[in-house]
Amino acid sequence: MTLPDFDELIDRTGTTCSKWDDMQATYGVSPRDGIAMWVADMDFRPPASVQQAVERLAAHGVYGYPGANPAYIESIRWWMANRHGWQVEPEWILSAHGLVNGTSICVDTFTQPGDRVILMTPVYHAFARVVRASGREVAEFPLVIEDGQYRLDWEGWQSLLTGRERMLILCSPHNPGGRVWSTEELRQIADFCAAHDLILVSDEIHHDLVMPGSPRHTVLANAAPEAAARLITLTAATKTFNIAGAHIGNLIVADEGLRKRLQDRMMAGGISPGLFGPAMVAAAYSPEGAVWVDALADYLDGNRRIFDDGVGAIPGLGSMPLQATYLAWVDFSGTGMERAEFTRRVEQGARIAANHGGTFGTGGENFLRFNIATQRARVIEAVGRLQEAFRDLQ
């Protein structure tokens, strides 16, 4: 196969693309001269196999109700076995309309209004949004920073328990910190959930996006097989292959009792996959897709080095070491600036749209999150703009 050209500049404006078309309204940064580094999708085309699958469906021209798709299920099983050493049975796989929807289904199925759901903050902002919208309470269990990386704070967390906790939602690898949790840490999380009778939802959507030379991602189901009776694993091809618009993700559940409860709730909500999503996933989870992902990881690692070096050259700024994801988590606390000031410099001075750290919960207040999954020329331009915006510090 021909390797992808990740350097090809692709104009996504005017395509109802949230990342580019919504940044003016959200950040006051125009797509005409701004750089979109907020929404966590990539500015790259997916593997040719995915495009060809869509074209085959379009060429047929009839878009009726889809039936069973064994190729979709088998592609998931093949990918998990070959890329993650995880043996998944066909009946374990349930399909939702993306993993935010999958998270919502889990919260709705296994908790009641007023229950507390534990989030290890700062963490992916949609978790808290879903929990609160469901009438549940977000229990923020802050992570601590040691040696520049996030660590679990078991001693501090014990005092935060009230007895009303019913679920813990884990982000593995961690977004926005880019941590690949160790096998031992995953076991500790599973043990904590067992000790306090918590349902454990492990969102592993970034598990394919690990930087070369970083620790290998371990599926929690492999790290702690004894957790199966309380574990729901969330995975998706959408983040890996930049097909988030397909709105499809997996809830993989080994325990029959948990799975039946989820199936009943999904049936009540009329949740089932569409026509295009399963076909795109089946085409992505393939040998061609594997080659594409390996090339992507190398390219992202190059972007990471450029971004980290450039940001690190600005006094007072530091990017957390990125082991996984394509989301750089930059700490501005060393500048001594108020949040409004460093945010103004990034948005109005550098004309870059980046996620505000406070939206990720306690501990994110002095950070901004930058998406580096874009063409290298844009990463280089962004670094230059940031250095200019903070030139008075140098």
Side-chain angles (χ1 to χ4, degrees):
M1 62 172 284
T2 302
L3 289 177
D5 180 11
F6 294 117
D7 282 323
E8 179 190 0
L9 286 172
I10 299 171
D11 183 2
R12 299 179 65 192
T13 58
T15 63
T16 68
C17 161
S18 174
K19 181 178 178 182
W20 287 89
D21 289 338
D22 293 350
M23 71 172 178
Q24 174 74 61
T26 306
Y27 293 99
V29 177
S30 170
R32 292 189 301 274
D33 65 353
I35 303 176
M37 302 185 84
W38 59 302
V39 175
D41 70 12
M42 300 186 279
D43 291 325
F44 310 130
R45 291 189 176 92
S49 57
V50 173
Q51 182 66 25
Q52 291 160 4
V54 173
E55 289 172 354
R56 283 193 296 271
L57 288 172
H60 185 263
V62 179
Y63 312 115
Y65 290 114
N69 190 332
Y72 162 64
I73 298 297
E74 287 306 309
S75 72
I76 295 169
R77 297 183 67 217
W78 180 86
W79 188 264
M80 296 306 163
N82 283 272
R83 301 292 289 194
H84 298 287
W86 185 22
Q87 303 301 320
V88 174
E89 297 302 324
E91 64 270 19
W92 296 0
I93 302 169
L94 308 178
S95 294
H97 299 307
L99 294 195
V100 175
N101 177 234
T103 303
S104 175
I105 294 167
C106 291
V107 170
D108 192 44
T109 302
F110 298 112
T111 69
Q112 298 296 321
D115 286 346
R116 283 162 55 89
V117 177
I118 296 173
L119 303 181
M120 294 155 39
T121 61
V123 73
Y124 178 44
H125 44 71
F127 293 159
R129 186 173 71 240
V130 164
V131 170
R132 292 189 177 109
S134 301
R136 280 66 166 172
E137 181 182 335
V138 172
E140 291 194 333
F141 281 40
L143 297 163
V144 295
I145 298 177
E146 293 179 2
D147 300 323
Q149 290 186 320
Y150 284 124
R151 305 291 180 190
L152 309 175
D153 183 20
W154 297 117
E155 184 176 345
W157 292 348
Q158 291 298 323
S159 64
L160 301 178
L161 291 165
T162 67
R164 292 192 293 113
E165 296 77 20
R166 298 291 179 267
M167 175 180 288
L168 184 149
I169 302 175
L170 171 68
C171 196
S172 178
H174 184 256
N175 166 21
R179 264 297 310 278
V180 174
W181 303 114
S182 70
T183 300
E184 179 57 30
E185 287 170 319
L186 295 173
R187 289 193 186 112
Q188 290 172 350
I189 292 167
D191 289 344
F192 178 82
C193 289
H196 300 286
D197 195 22
L198 305 174
I199 293 292
L200 174 51
V201 178
S202 182
D203 181 344
E204 305 191 18
I205 195 170
H206 292 278
H207 63 182
D208 293 312
L209 301 169
V210 176
M211 296 291 169
S214 293
R216 180 183 175 87
H217 171 79
T218 302
V219 175
L220 196 146
N222 283 345
E226 69 279 4
R230 64 182 68 254
L231 175 64
I232 299 99
T233 304
L234 306 183
T235 72
T238 52
K239 193 70 64 179
T240 304
F241 295 99
N242 204 35
I243 54 174
H247 273 284
I248 188 168
N250 314 308
L251 292 80
I252 302 180
V253 192
D255 183 82
E256 186 176 1
L258 293 183
R259 193 166 64 248
K260 177 63 164 59
R261 292 175 67 182
L262 286 166
Q263 287 171 320
D264 289 347
R265 194 57 57 98
M266 293 170 76
M267 179 69 73
I271 297 169
S272 61
L275 177 66
F276 281 80
M280 296 168 76
V281 172
Y285 281 159
S286 64
E288 181 176 343
V291 172
W292 186 92
V293 170
D294 290 340
L296 171 69
D298 287 338
Y299 190 85
L300 292 176
D301 190 45
N303 281 1
R304 176 192 64 80
R305 294 174 187 276
I306 290 168
F307 187 84
D308 285 357
D309 288 348
V311 167
I314 304 172
L317 272 63
S319 185
M320 191 167 281
L322 187 61
Q323 297 176 337
T325 82
Y326 47 69
L327 304 165
W329 189 232
V330 179
D331 185 359
F332 288 78
S333 60
T335 65
M337 295 179 183
E338 296 293 328
R339 182 167 63 251
E341 173 59 15
F342 67 72
T343 302
R344 183 194 66 78
R345 291 188 183 214
V346 171
E347 293 173 359
Q348 298 178 29
R351 302 185 309 287
I352 296 172
N355 293 100
H356 296 180
T359 64
F360 296 85
T362 298
E365 297 83 1
N366 291 314
F367 287 81
L368 294 176
R369 191 189 75 170
F370 294 81
N371 179 349
I372 60 170
T374 191
Q375 287 72 29
R376 188 153 297 159
R378 287 189 177 128
V379 174
I380 293 170
E381 174 68 16
V383 165
R385 292 185 184 192
L386 289 170
Q387 290 177 343
E388 182 60 31
F390 292 90
R391 182 163 297 281
D392 57 313
L393 303 181
Q394 298 176 58

